[in-house]
Amino acid sequence: MNGATFHEMNSDTLEGIKKPWLNNVGQKAFYQQIAQSSQKYTDEIEPLYSIIEKPIILLWGRDDRWIPIEQGEKLHKLMTNSCLIPIKNAGHLVQEDQPALVLSYILKYLKN
């Protein structure tokens, strides 16, 4: 999980995130997930992003070292009804680095 967060992750939280992957079923699922992760699946649906009519909020860690903010900007440009909000002092797991801020944006989004 190195690099997933901007701040050091609480050890209990880290253990909770890792726990599902530690038994035989979880390990098999983890490797299946890796095997199935291919850019081709994203490429297949990417042309459909522009026809999404529902408003979309993209909360992206400004300091994401796994999927950089530039990817969020690219995604935002492909979606005509999206709003990209870079979150300061947050990595890939934005909800761990800035939980209150993420919640505030979600609540604001749901009110609209």
Side-chain angles (χ1 to χ4, degrees):
M1 299 295 298
N2 254 355
T5 56
F6 181 79
H7 304 287
E8 187 172 336
M9 193 181 302
N10 173 290
S11 61
D12 290 338
T13 301
L14 179 58
E15 290 306 311
I17 289 172
K18 292 183 344 185
K19 187 176 180 179
W21 309 111
L22 298 178
N23 62 39
N24 288 338
V25 173
Q27 288 173 1
K28 182 179 177 185
F30 179 79
Y31 287 114
Q32 283 178 326
Q33 177 183 345
I34 298 298
Q36 293 171 344
S37 66
S38 171
Q39 185 64 39
K40 73 177 185 174
Y41 300 120
T42 303
D43 293 343
E44 288 175 359
I45 64 165
E46 197 171 272
L48 302 175
Y49 293 169
S50 64
I51 64 171
I52 298 172
E53 295 178 5
K54 299 287 184 187
I56 298 166
I57 183 173
L58 301 168
L59 302 175
W60 211 283
R62 187 173 281 163
D63 301 292
D64 189 335
R65 289 181 273 164
W66 286 9
I67 305 176
I69 188 72
E70 291 79 18
Q71 287 298 106
E73 292 165 350
K74 178 183 172 189
L75 184 60
H76 168 59
K77 288 177 185 172
L78 293 171
M79 297 178 171
T80 57
N81 203 14
S82 70
C83 173
L84 173 64
I85 301 174
I87 306 294
K88 291 180 185 178
N89 300 322
H92 189 70
L93 298 178
V94 175
Q95 69 278 12
E96 295 299 330
D97 282 320
Q98 298 289 351
L101 188 56
V102 168
L103 180 60
S104 72
Y105 280 119
I106 292 171
L107 292 174
K108 181 179 177 183
Y109 172 80
L110 291 174
K111 286 182 182 179
N112 293 332

